[in-house]
Amino acid sequence: MPSVAAAMGVPGFDNALALPHAPRYVVFLVDGLGLELLRQHADVAPFLSSLNNIEDVVCGVPSTTVTSLTSLGTGLGAGAHGMVGYTSRVPGSGRRLNSLKWDQPVDPLIWQPHPTVLYRLQEAGVAASSVNDAKFEGTGLTVCSQRGVPFHGVNSVWERLDVIIDVIESAPRSVTYAYESRLDHVGHGKGCTSEEWRTMLGTIDTELAQLREELPRDTVLVVTADHGMIDLPMDNRFDVDSEPMLLGDVELLAGEARFRHLYTRPGAEADVASRWSEHLGDRAVVRTQEGLEDWFGPIAPEVSPRIGDVVVASLGLFAVFSSREFSIELKMRGFHGSVTEAELRIPVLVAV
């Protein structure tokens, strides 16, 4: 988003991605469309595969929707904006916040106090807006990642197409953010190498080709993603509840299967990290908070208590499940959240 702002000539932003100058932009995020997946399944996505991709872009850590959407929206890393995982501890409460459901009495304006780039664009005189599923209006994640501009709720793909066109044509200088969730849902349920996933990718490719066709010629369409995805075998999954030794001194589990936050008894983080590292070996990267700035960026003091005292980033075809705390994850096939290339690398596709 900062690069979009700079490409539109708005002062105070850096065009780090070297996006083309244009008076109007649509930034369209396809949830779960990792770069490796797009390249592996290019045959069912001819439009997206034909576009110029800005290489070497990663989504940040953890590679999960709530973190990435807020990073996209604010231009900040997780250590600054504070959306540190799918679930995370609410400091002082001993409870987990599910950042998609927003199931704790936490004010999103306090949890994530930084202005969005869309808001800053609007303040600079650019017509900025968000087009998203109507059910997301006013949710905690939407407030954290897209607040400060008009939200256009839609209830179908065709309505979304019409609304994007209407909004982008409403002003000579405009930026519209749009979001697509279906690919990620299919990936979690059926797997990101399934025929169902490939069919959905083909459908979205067709829809985006039509969007590009109907956009004004002076509009640049950027298609990107929040993370990639991998499939994990359904058998022989590691259930941490069967290893009580690992849960000693751990007061709360959070995050998700591929990226676990472990909140420990005060002073026990080094011992917990050592036990987990020894037990998991090369199946995961285990770190304490002292080694996280290269993943999270600089960590603000108010954000630090939300991050696990120990974090466990799974590698290969491995994840840390908990049948007691996160039983629904055991039913899933596709996963993300960790630090592998497949999960981190995302496309930035530019259609002019």
Side-chain angles (χ1 to χ4, degrees), residues 47-130:
F47 170 68
L48 292 175
S49 299
S50 72
L51 300 178
N52 176 55
N53 179 58
I54 298 173
E55 298 290 340
D56 299 323
V57 178
V58 294
C59 63
V61 179
S63 52
T64 199
T65 299
V66 297
T67 303
S68 292
L69 294 193
T70 311
S71 291
L72 176 72
T74 62
L76 302 172
H81 63 60
M83 298 285 275
V84 299
Y86 171 60
T87 61
S88 60
R89 180 176 63 182
V90 180
S93 74
R95 296 193 298 269
R96 280 188 301 260
L97 170 69
N98 182 312
S99 298
L100 286 182
K101 298 179 180 179
W102 212 261
D103 55 357
Q104 298 294 334
V106 174
D107 185 344
L109 293 173
I110 296 175
W111 192 261
Q112 199 297 93
H114 302 280
T116 66
V117 178
L118 288 173
Y119 172 75
R120 295 170 65 190
L121 283 167
Q122 183 166 267
E123 289 291 287
V126 176
S129 60
S130 173

Side-chain angles (χ1 to χ4, degrees), residues 1-8 10 12-17 19 71-76 117 120-121:
M1 284 295 189
S3 288
V4 169
M8 297 184 68
V10 178
F13 294 94
D14 178 28
N15 191 356
L17 298 179
L19 293 174
S71 291
L72 176 72
T74 62
L76 302 172
V117 178
R120 295 170 65 190
L121 283 167

Side-chain angles (χ1 to χ4, degrees), residues 261-305:
H261 291 276
L262 313 179
Y263 303 92
T264 71
R265 178 180 57 80
E269 57 270 17
D271 288 342
V272 170
S274 178
R275 287 199 299 271
W276 279 71
S277 182
E278 181 178 356
H279 188 84
L280 299 184
D282 60 5
R283 295 179 293 175
V285 178
V286 180
R287 293 185 177 182
T288 63
Q289 280 203 27
E290 293 180 357
L292 293 183
E293 288 208 351
D294 60 328
W295 285 353
F296 285 78
I299 299 173
E302 65 273 15
V303 172
S304 179

